[in-house]
Amino acid sequence: MKSNPRQNQVKDFTGLESEYLESIEGRRSLVGYLCMRTPVELIEAYGAVPIRIVSSPVAVSSGFNPIRNDACSFCKQVPELMKLDSYKYLSGIIAGSCCDQMRRTVDVLNETLDIPAIIYSAPRTYGQNASFFLNEMKAAFAKLADSLRLTIDENELHKAIKSRKQLRKLVNQKRYDGAISAPLIHKLAGSCLPAEKIIEFLTGLKPLPVNSDSVRLMLFGSIPSGKEILLIEEVGGYVAVDLTCLGDRVFEIKQNLPEEPFEFLYKHYIEHNNCPHRRSYAPLIDYAKQQIKRGAIDGIVYRSVKYCHPFGLAAKRFKEELGMPFLELDDDLTLQATGSFRTRLGAFVEMLEAQKRRKVAQV
Amino acid sequence: MISQKIRKLDNFELEENPRQIDFREWHRLFQKVPEELVENTRYFRDLPNAEWSQYLFPPSTHVVSGNRLLRKLKFDNSLASLRLWGFVMSEGERIYRAKQAGKKVIAVMGDLGAVTPLVYSFPNTVAFYPDCLWWTPFMMESKVLFDEAAKFGLGEDCCFVRAALGAYSKKAYFPKPDLCIGTVGATCDDMNAVMSEVEFLGYDIHYFELPHRHDKPQDVKRLKVFLSGQYEGLSAKLEHVTGHEFDLTRFEETISKVNRMRGAISDLKGMLGGAGSPLDSCVRRNDGRGSRRIDRRNAMGGIEMLNVEFAPLSYYGDLDECIDVIEDVRDTVKSRQTRSVGYPDQDIRLVWVTPPADPQLMNYIEGLGGMIVGSEYLINQTTPQILENGDPFDSLAESHLSGSLMGSMGYRTQLVIDQIEKSNAEGVIISGVFGSSHCPYETTPIVDAVRKKGIPVLAIDVVAPGKIMMQSQIFNRMEAFMESLKAARRYRGG
């Protein structure tokens, strides 16, 4: 059977992660975190390993769930995820408050798990009183550390920040060169590995073969489940830009940030976080427009998780503002949705291919 | 000069005994209301020669202007209730009049009553809540506002507050606000989405950031300092919009009035929810003349009380008049309880959780024998007395910190439990909204906590107007619930 270099990338990286987790087993605390408003460098500086809580097709609703069916499908899945092997060894959970549902999800975890689940305030608007929110973030981490008997190592913090900066730069460069596939970027975004190890892995990556006839798509929307990229590639599309919560947005390089470590982390993860739960949408729309230009995008696949208000209720607005062919998918994170997604993605890609052919013919 | 007797209805009653009547009966009964009373029941009494500001009309008047649901509702038969309905239903007209009269009209969104005292501390300023337009599609039995919101992508996955977006877009439900204030942060996502689209419609929004409350005593101080800063920023914005400087004396006067209103509402809730016994609809009270039986039958309708409890959100556009309206209702209830009279056959004590956008549901439960003796309508922030002599912004911040939604689910659950304990309720009804950002998370913990207290709960989702089949299922569940409560009472009674 012919080997697929894109799949091999993911396989190799997953292997590396497993090895790492085995090597630290029982020696370091695993701290789960949700969303993009949590500075992983800070978790690392406390000597813990950051584990991003992400959607999984394996988590199937089993028995009682305190969250009702009309909640965001991802938030509703989180208590179920906690029963999986990947998360059942977590010592604690931390998250910066983003949308109302995520805030309440952490509250549910706090009530249902016997590990601390801590949420800290983060502003919805831009340019807010930074010192208040920075202190909220620090206090939350201190509280978690206190529960887990961890202490911060300032040198590790500096080192982690420096390494993550290098990682962001490298990821952007390799993405631009076509050496990192979209499925791999999801893995990188949620990886528990220290930045140095990821850098080491990425350094050797060579540009992947790309079919130049493929339509170039931007995946946008709520936290992905992993299946959407595979489906897009299956129907002949190529995800050139990924603006989901586990995509290129995680590696965005933000300019003019302060040097002081905590201020840097606050500005990077909290103040300059572009998510539609923030008011207003303008910075996210501007960023999306830049990425569309950079990635020479032909169309947008906008996938929102069912009942995810920030992305779901903004879909029409983004469609209008971005002014491109736009396929909107509403995912309830069930396997049953896969078939209809495949059909709709197939039709969308075919339409874009036909459009592309027409353009070439006109030229 | 309007006499105090007319400003206050002075317990003038059209019928001796309380009962619930429909809009036709009100139409007939209205003929008995003295002309002088109709002429002098006015809003904006500060404006000279405002002949147009009468508002004491029967509900049928408001049916004509599109509020078709009024034809189906049951109203309390007191003059105080008529005045309340007239005042509430004329709010839309009032804010248009305010604009015409040169007052500043401020749209306040997302905080449900917390920032309003500051808005009214500025002269010639009125506030209104676009969020409250969520009941307009129900009152009008029309999906026009929902359909309009859907054009912007806010469909059935969004709470009924999306009607506010429809109204902003239609430009026919309120005048263009001089300022829009939007509270974001630890609030609902649905209203946040509405605000985003309102911005795209060209409205400038002053955002008020509400941080998450951890519900730990040690967090209060820093949250208060932060919120105080938010109030200071809002005050500066209001100074700019109104052209008036913040005036401490006027602020203290306003807070004193707000506290008076909040006090009257608290009295009312206390009277209606006073610790009665579920086994006996009468309690004994010692009033110095010896112990005597007090009838605990329902002395005021659930919808009227909903209108009363929502008054501190916007004061329905006129703070002074609103206080009188509320105090009239309070005096009516007091008089009824003193006379031991109430609606016949309504004595199953219920706590209502989350305000129902469809007021019919309350009528229906009352028709089945329920009386609403307690409530948690997501507006706990409008209940505390605000400190009158402290730092103004600190005082507002402190009051704001009691908000229903800004903290943990445990906090809100406790608010519900408090209401049950205060009112000795026999059952709880939770009327949620399918797809809203908080109901899917709060419902189960509240249901669990209430059941642990041994109190039966009915959790329903309010059905959008026009979905008759689904609504009949809700009615059916209500019937079964009330049957079970009656059976439980019979069982407990031996």
Side-chain angles (χ1 to χ4, degrees):
Chain A
M1 202 168 148
K2 204 176 165 185
S3 79
N4 180 334
R6 307 165 78 79
Q7 282 173 8
N8 287 346
Q9 273 192 344
V10 174
K11 202 174 147 192
D12 294 347
F13 190 74
T14 310
L16 201 64
E17 278 188 319
S18 305
E19 272 175 35
Y20 176 72
L21 283 172
E22 268 174 38
S23 72
I24 54 142
E25 196 180 327
R27 292 192 292 116
R28 291 174 68 183
S29 301
L30 306 182
V31 170
Y33 69 100
L34 286 150
C35 291
M36 287 173 58
R37 297 190 99 172
T38 313
V40 284
E41 290 92 327
L42 209 42
I43 298 177
E44 290 172 331
Y46 273 105
V49 179
I51 306 285
R52 176 94 192 244
I53 299 170
V54 296
S55 168
S56 165
V58 184
V60 179
S61 180
S62 54
F64 177 74
N65 188 330
I67 305 176
R68 256 175 26 175
N69 282 340
D70 53 332
C72 156
S73 298
F74 173 63
C75 293
K76 188 174 176 292
Q77 198 186 49
V78 171
E80 303 291 340
L81 290 170
M82 295 300 112
K83 297 168 195 163
L84 299 180
D85 282 348
S86 347
Y87 302 111
K88 69 181 177 192
Y89 300 111
L90 295 181
S91 311
I93 293 168
I94 193 156
S97 73
C98 42
C99 61
D100 193 29
Q101 300 209 54
M102 194 49 74
R103 186 168 72 97
R104 291 174 185 283
T105 301
V106 178
D107 201 7
V108 168
L109 294 178
N110 203 28
E111 292 294 323
T112 52
L113 300 178
D114 50 12
I115 55 169
I118 297 170
I119 188 113
Y120 53 90
S121 280
R124 282 226 183 188
T125 46
Y126 292 91
Q128 269 298 337
N129 178 342
S131 67
F132 171 79
F133 288 105
L134 173 56
N135 284 333
E136 289 287 294
M137 179 187 94
K138 281 182 179 175
F141 273 90
K143 194 174 162 189
L144 181 74
D146 194 40
S147 310
L148 305 181
R149 296 183 182 174
L150 301 171
T151 46
I152 191 163
D153 182 330
E154 298 279 347
N155 288 332
E156 280 300 318
L157 180 61
H158 280 98
K159 215 173 107 190
I161 290 174
K162 198 176 162 193
S163 318
R164 293 267 159 195
K165 277 183 184 170
Q166 285 171 356
L167 175 63
R168 277 180 214 113
K169 210 170 154 187
L170 183 63
V171 168
N172 275 278
Q173 186 202 317
K174 293 270 176 187
R175 272 292 272 168
Y176 196 71
D177 295 345
I180 299 177
S181 67
L184 180 62
I185 200 114
H186 283 191
K187 285 281 166 197
L188 301 178
S191 178
C192 61
L193 289 177
E196 295 86 351
K197 284 195 181 290
I198 306 178
I199 290 169
E200 202 181 308
F201 175 82
L202 295 179
T203 308
L205 292 187
K206 298 274 179 284
L208 294 159
V210 181
N211 179 355
S212 57
D213 292 338
S214 294
V215 290
R216 297 174 68 84
L217 297 172
M218 179 169 91
L219 181 64
F220 194 11
S222 316
I223 188 163
S225 67
K227 69 174 181 255
E228 48 290 289
I229 287 185
L230 300 177
L231 288 172
I232 290 171
E233 293 188 345
E234 204 179 297
V235 297
Y238 171 67
V239 180
V241 173
D242 183 337
L243 287 200
T244 64
C245 319
L246 285 174
D248 295 299
R249 209 148 58 86
V250 177
F251 298 97
E252 185 188 351
I253 296 170
K254 294 156 191 176
Q255 306 298 331
N256 305 322
L257 300 187
E259 284 298 314
E260 198 281 325
F262 284 99
E263 284 179 20
F264 168 82
L265 293 175
Y266 173 77
K267 289 282 178 188
H268 180 84
Y269 284 95
I270 296 176
E271 173 62 12
H272 295 305
N273 169 287
N274 289 337
C275 170
H277 81 274
R278 305 290 304 275
R279 298 277 77 79
S280 67
Y281 292 150
L284 180 55
I285 291 171
D286 289 345
Y287 177 63
K289 282 180 178 169
Q290 283 168 21
Q291 296 303 309
I292 289 168
K293 204 172 163 188
R294 183 186 144 178
I297 297 300
D298 299 311
I300 298 168
V301 175
Y302 188 92
R303 173 196 155 277
S304 58
V305 164
K306 186 84 183 154
Y307 299 116
C308 162
H309 288 133
F311 278 104
L313 301 179
K316 198 155 185 175
R317 173 56 53 197
F318 288 132
K319 183 179 179 179
E320 202 167 293
E321 296 295 321
L322 299 177
M324 297 205 74
F326 194 95
L327 174 68
E328 191 189 340
L329 301 171
D330 202 12
D331 189 357
D332 63 359
L333 299 180
T334 60
L335 290 173
Q336 289 89 326
T338 314
S340 66
F341 281 7
R342 187 182 287 117
T343 310
R344 294 185 64 198
L345 283 165
F348 186 61
V349 167
E350 273 176 32
M351 184 197 81
L352 292 175
E353 281 171 347
Q355 216 172 54
K356 232 177 169 179
R357 282 196 298 273
R358 272 201 302 276
K359 271 185 194 165
V360 172
Q362 277 168 5
V363 170
Chain B
M1 182 80 181
I2 298 152
S3 73
Q4 190 60 22
K5 188 172 179 180
I6 292 171
R7 269 201 84 124
K8 297 273 178 193
L9 297 178
D10 206 18
N11 298 330
F12 179 91
E13 292 292 356
L14 294 163
E15 293 189 319
E16 197 176 334
N17 287 323
R19 64 187 182 105
Q20 287 177 303
I21 58 176
D22 66 14
F23 89 115
R24 286 182 191 81
E25 284 177 281
W26 250 129
H27 199 77
R28 284 193 293 273
L29 208 57
F30 186 71
Q31 311 306 321
K32 291 191 199 172
V33 178
E35 194 63 26
E36 192 195 8
L37 206 58
V38 176
E39 281 180 9
N40 288 307
T41 306
R42 294 174 181 277
Y43 57 82
F44 293 159
R45 290 176 194 265
D46 56 316
L47 297 178
N49 308 319
E51 295 88 3
W52 37 262
S53 73
Q54 291 177 23
Y55 66 86
L56 193 68
F57 299 116
S60 48
T61 312
H62 305 290
V63 174
V64 176
S65 40
N67 295 290
R68 303 189 325 163
L69 187 73
L70 293 172
R71 294 173 308 168
K72 298 176 185 167
L73 296 181
K74 294 275 188 181
F75 310 90
D76 180 80
N77 66 342
S78 67
L79 206 48
S81 155
L82 181 70
R83 186 182 183 189
L84 173 70
W85 275 104
F87 189 63
V88 172
M89 298 307 295
S90 59
E91 187 188 8
E93 171 198 295
R94 190 152 44 251
I95 49 177
Y96 273 106
R97 293 289 193 186
K99 189 88 175 175
Q100 284 172 344
K103 291 177 189 273
K104 295 292 178 191
V105 173
I106 313 292
V108 194
M109 298 178 279
D111 67 292
L112 300 178
V115 307
T116 325
L118 183 61
V119 174
Y120 276 85
S121 298
F122 287 84
N124 264 333
T125 306
V126 298
F128 75 99
Y129 271 79
D131 319 28
C132 290
L133 280 151
W134 83 329
W135 81 334
T136 302
F138 294 88
M139 292 301 276
M140 295 194 151
E141 296 186 320
S142 153
K143 291 192 291 179
V144 168
L145 291 182
F146 290 154
D147 290 345
E148 186 68 14
K151 288 182 191 165
F152 298 88
L154 272 64
E156 291 192 353
D157 288 1
C158 183
C159 161
F160 298 132
V161 292
R162 67 187 188 271
L165 174 61
Y168 266 106
S169 171
K170 286 273 181 191
K171 297 187 171 74
Y173 291 78
F174 45 78
K176 189 178 181 198
D178 294 290
L179 171 67
C180 296
I181 303 167
T183 293
V184 291
T187 57
C188 78
D189 288 333
D190 311 81
M191 204 56 210
N192 261 279
V194 168
M195 287 178 212
S196 288
E197 290 304 319
V198 167
E199 273 194 311
F200 280 101
L201 285 170
Y203 296 90
D204 191 19
I205 299 180
H206 174 91
Y207 284 111
F208 185 103
E209 185 81 43
L210 186 68
H212 172 72
R213 186 190 59 217
H214 296 284
D215 298 332
K216 300 273 188 298
Q218 63 269 30
D219 295 327
V220 171
K221 196 177 166 189
R222 64 173 194 269
L223 281 176
K224 199 171 130 181
V225 170
F226 177 81
L227 275 180
S228 184
Q230 292 291 305
Y231 275 106
E232 205 173 334
L234 177 58
S235 177
K237 184 76 184 180
L238 285 163
E239 282 183 345
H240 177 71
V241 170
T242 63
H244 293 279
E245 278 188 18
F246 175 80
D247 180 325
L248 187 61
T249 312
R250 192 180 156 89
F251 174 80
E252 285 172 357
E253 279 170 17
T254 307
I255 296 303
S256 169
K257 288 176 188 173
V258 170
N259 281 342
R260 188 171 141 198
M261 179 196 291
R262 290 183 178 191
I265 296 168
S266 171
D267 288 349
L268 249 172
K269 282 192 81 175
M271 284 190 276
L272 291 167
S277 158
L279 290 179
D280 181 352
S281 59
C282 297
V283 291
R284 302 195 76 80
R285 191 175 75 175
N286 194 327
D287 58 2
R289 291 176 290 166
S291 175
R292 63 192 179 94
R293 279 166 67 89
I294 300 293
D295 199 318
R296 281 291 173 196
R297 281 189 301 175
N298 201 0
M300 188 51 66
I303 320 177
E304 280 81 10
M305 278 305 294
L306 185 72
N307 286 334
V308 164
E309 288 194 57
F310 269 74
L313 267 71
S314 64
Y315 320 138
Y316 296 119
D318 184 340
L319 175 57
D320 292 314
E321 191 63 17
C322 192
I323 294 171
D324 284 346
V325 170
I326 303 294
E327 288 182 345
D328 264 344
V329 177
R330 179 197 60 192
D331 295 344
T332 299
V333 168
K334 199 172 178 180
S335 154
R336 286 173 173 182
Q337 289 197 333
T338 310
R339 290 185 290 131
S340 294
V341 291
Y343 304 154
D345 306 321
Q346 289 185 13
D347 62 356
I348 303 276
R349 304 171 69 79
L350 301 170
V351 163
W352 200 292
V353 178
T354 308
D358 183 355
Q360 237 185 141
L361 298 176
M362 288 187 146
N363 263 180
Y364 199 76
I365 212 79
E366 287 172 333
L368 296 168
M371 64 185 280
I372 295 148
V373 291
S375 57
E376 206 305 295
Y377 289 149
L378 305 166
I379 51 172
N380 198 50
Q381 59 279 15
T382 67
T383 58
Q385 291 284 302
I386 303 167
L387 269 177
E388 288 180 31
N389 302 318
D391 174 87
F393 304 128
D394 281 357
S395 306
L396 290 170
E398 195 165 321
S399 169
H400 204 151
L401 280 172
S402 61
S404 297
L405 283 180
M406 69 181 286
S408 64
M409 294 175 298
Y411 179 88
R412 183 151 189 249
T413 303
Q414 191 53 49
L415 292 176
V416 176
I417 298 294
D418 289 348
Q419 287 292 303
I420 294 170
E421 288 175 349
K422 269 186 202 165
S423 61
N424 214 345
E426 294 161 84
V428 172
I429 294 181
I430 306 173
S431 56
V433 182
F434 190 85
S436 72
S437 69
H438 55 95
C439 291
Y441 298 83
E442 291 174 333
T443 308
T444 305
I446 294 174
V447 167
D448 284 351
V450 173
R451 284 193 179 141
K452 269 184 198 152
K453 304 281 294 177
I455 307 290
V457 196
L458 173 67
I460 51 167
D461 282 327
V462 175
V463 177
K467 297 189 173 175
I468 298 166
M469 294 282 277
M470 285 170 79
Q471 190 164 48
S472 64
Q473 288 176 15
I474 302 276
F475 288 159
N476 199 268
R477 291 180 64 200
M478 285 182 153
E479 284 162 21
F481 183 65
M482 291 303 285
E483 281 301 321
S484 72
L485 292 182
K486 285 174 188 171
R489 185 186 270 194
R490 280 196 300 273
Y491 178 77
R492 286 199 304 266

